[in-house]
Amino acid sequence: MDYVTFGRTGLNVSVMGLGCGGPSRIGQSADKGDANSIAIVRTALDAGINFFDTAEAYRTETLVGQALQGVDRDSFVISTKKSYRSEISPALVRQGLEESLKRLQMDYVDIYNLHGVGPQDYPMLRDEILPTFFQLRDEGKIRFIGVSEMFNEDKEHQMMVDSFPDDVWDVAMIGFNILNQTARTQVFPGTIKQNIAVQIMFAVRRALSQPDKLREAVQQLVDAGQVDPAEFDAADPLGFVLAESDATSIVDAAYRFCRYEPGVHVVLSGTGNPAHLQSNIDSLCKPPLPDGVVQKLRHLFRNASAVTGQ
Ligand SMILES: NC(=O)c1ccc[n+]([C@@H]2O[C@H](COP(=O)([O-])OP(=O)(O)OC[C@H]3O[C@@H](n4cnc5c(N)ncnc54)[C@H](OP(=O)(O)O)[C@@H]3O)[C@@H](O)[C@H]2O)c1
């Protein structure tokens, strides 16, 4: 496994983080059983992954906590999140963190995130809720303050753009992939300037792991006038990537495309499948795709913002 310094946190983290939410929720969404989920976390740890992302909303904190029991607390980084959409207040933040800590069986979290923040809610969260996050940091219950975007609704990262002047985040979870590269201009210049640590979600998701979903997503971009159909083979839009590189699959290419994007620190990978976990670890430790392929992907999707790869 390769490691990087995680922006202004100074943490030394693996370039691959295990995402314990997403469509798979470490196998919980497919009812693969708790033992399988715990084994996914342990296998990741044994492979050198030291970054684990979960959230109260994923209902995987308990399993992550069980899997990490007995492991030296200084040797891994836990990121979890507070939901706010149904109800939020300073008291609910404190209560939410206490409940997360109990489920994780830990006495602090490394990164505590506001979960899925939309631009419409950012000013209220900054003024009414973030002061409690700062207090919790001062009390040592959280080490760093993070945010995750609501990428499916905020496909061009308006929340991040709005928040840059306040410089409040230590860590940001950003949607970025081959099909939506808008973070390159909208987000990464700002995070690089403020040395905000960046973790990537949606690197693969469904559109880059399922050929029929890929065709659908590309058709959506054609319909939106954001890609030129003359530049694609509609039946196999990313076929050239496999033909012109050593990538073993579109998933392999998609993770590598994200890992080497300037401004990216950690790429999250979410799976409940042990074979997928191993191949994703291999992918994220491989060298970059050939520059010609990367440039072609940048060119083809330069105006694409209508899809997230969901
Ligand atoms: N707003 C938010 O806060 C937010 C939103 C989304 C995600 N997240 C976080 O980001 C993490 C990553 O999310 P993501 O879902 O976007 O992850 P991802 O790694 O881009 O995609 C995961 C999907 O790809 C499939 N997959 C993974 N490896 C594969 C392989 N080698 N071959 C074929 N299919 C493969 C998984 O299914 P299998 O189980 O079958 O492998 C799953 O359906 C989440 O776990 C969560 O921690 C946060």
Side-chain angles (χ1 to χ4, degrees):
M1 183 54 58
D2 296 330
Y3 297 85
V4 288
T5 299
F6 199 43
R8 64 163 86 167
T9 72
L11 296 167
N12 185 43
V13 293
S14 48
V15 296
M16 172 170 164
L18 184 69
C20 303
S24 293
R25 297 171 48 245
I26 45 173
Q28 293 290 300
S29 299
D31 284 332
K32 290 193 173 180
D34 292 356
N36 176 74
S37 297
I38 290 170
I40 291 276
V41 177
R42 291 297 305 203
T43 305
L45 189 74
D46 292 345
I49 291 171
N50 69 356
F51 191 99
F52 299 90
D53 177 69
T54 181
E56 63 177 18
Y58 300 161
R59 286 171 285 120
T60 56
E61 289 176 318
T62 302
L63 294 165
V64 173
Q66 283 173 13
L68 295 173
Q69 268 310 289
V71 180
D72 178 4
R73 182 64 186 85
D74 294 337
S75 67
F76 61 83
V77 170
I78 280 286
S79 160
T80 193
K81 313 188 193 74
K82 179 70 196 135
S83 308
Y84 72 90
R85 290 197 179 221
S86 58
E87 209 185 352
I88 194 70
S89 68
L92 285 173
V93 171
R94 282 191 171 273
Q95 186 187 331
L97 178 62
E98 289 304 335
E99 288 168 1
S100 286
L101 289 171
K102 210 173 196 176
R103 285 188 290 269
L104 288 161
Q105 302 184 61
M106 293 173 194
D107 48 21
Y108 67 90
V109 293
D110 300 281
I111 302 157
Y112 200 44
N113 303 270
L114 273 166
H115 194 164
V117 176
Q120 68 285 1
D121 301 323
Y122 170 69
M124 176 279 288
L125 293 168
R126 175 195 59 204
D127 296 343
E128 296 175 25
I129 299 302
L130 274 178
T132 305
F133 275 59
F134 295 133
Q135 284 163 12
L136 291 166
R137 184 169 62 182
D138 292 345
E139 291 165 25
K141 297 204 165 185
I142 66 183
R143 294 178 72 193
F144 301 103
I145 293 170
V147 66
S148 70
E149 306 180 295
M150 196 63 182
F151 190 41
N152 278 325
E153 294 171 9
D154 185 16
K155 299 184 181 73
E156 295 184 59
H157 318 281
Q158 192 57 48
M159 183 280 296
M160 284 303 296
V161 171
D162 293 348
S163 71
F164 280 131
D166 302 319
D167 194 2
V168 285
W169 314 121
D170 299 315
V171 180
M173 187 184 293
I174 304 298
F176 177 76
N177 59 38
I178 288 172
L179 302 172
N180 184 326
Q181 305 176 26
T182 50
R184 182 176 301 117
T185 50
Q186 293 289 92
V187 178
F188 301 148
T191 54
I192 289 170
K193 189 165 166 214
Q194 297 181 2
N195 200 18
I196 297 170
V198 169
Q199 42 177 336
I200 295 302
M201 59 180 170
F202 283 71
V204 161
R205 208 66 176 189
R206 294 187 178 92
L208 292 155
S209 61
Q210 299 175 23
D212 53 330
K213 299 273 182 219
L214 176 60
R215 282 189 290 273
E216 267 173 42
V218 171
Q219 188 56 50
Q220 258 181 279
L221 292 173
V222 170
D223 294 345
Q226 296 182 349
V227 294
D228 179 355
E231 295 182 323
F232 285 93
D233 170 1
D236 188 14
L238 296 181
F240 75 90
V241 175
L242 301 184
E244 296 171 25
S245 78
D246 65 342
T248 51
S249 64
I250 297 301
V251 171
D252 178 52
Y255 282 126
R256 290 162 71 187
F257 180 80
C258 291
R259 175 184 163 182
Y260 291 101
E261 177 69 26
V264 169
H265 297 98
V266 168
V267 179
L268 294 172
S269 169
T271 185
N273 177 323
H276 288 173
L277 176 65
Q278 189 53 58
S279 71
N280 300 346
I281 291 167
D282 294 344
S283 295
L284 281 159
C285 292
K286 286 185 196 170
L289 297 170
D291 193 48
V293 170
V294 172
Q295 293 312 328
K296 200 157 160 182
L297 289 168
R298 286 180 170 213
H299 173 77
L300 292 173
F301 296 99
R302 65 196 177 284
N303 297 318
S305 62
V307 302
T308 60
Q310 170 72 2

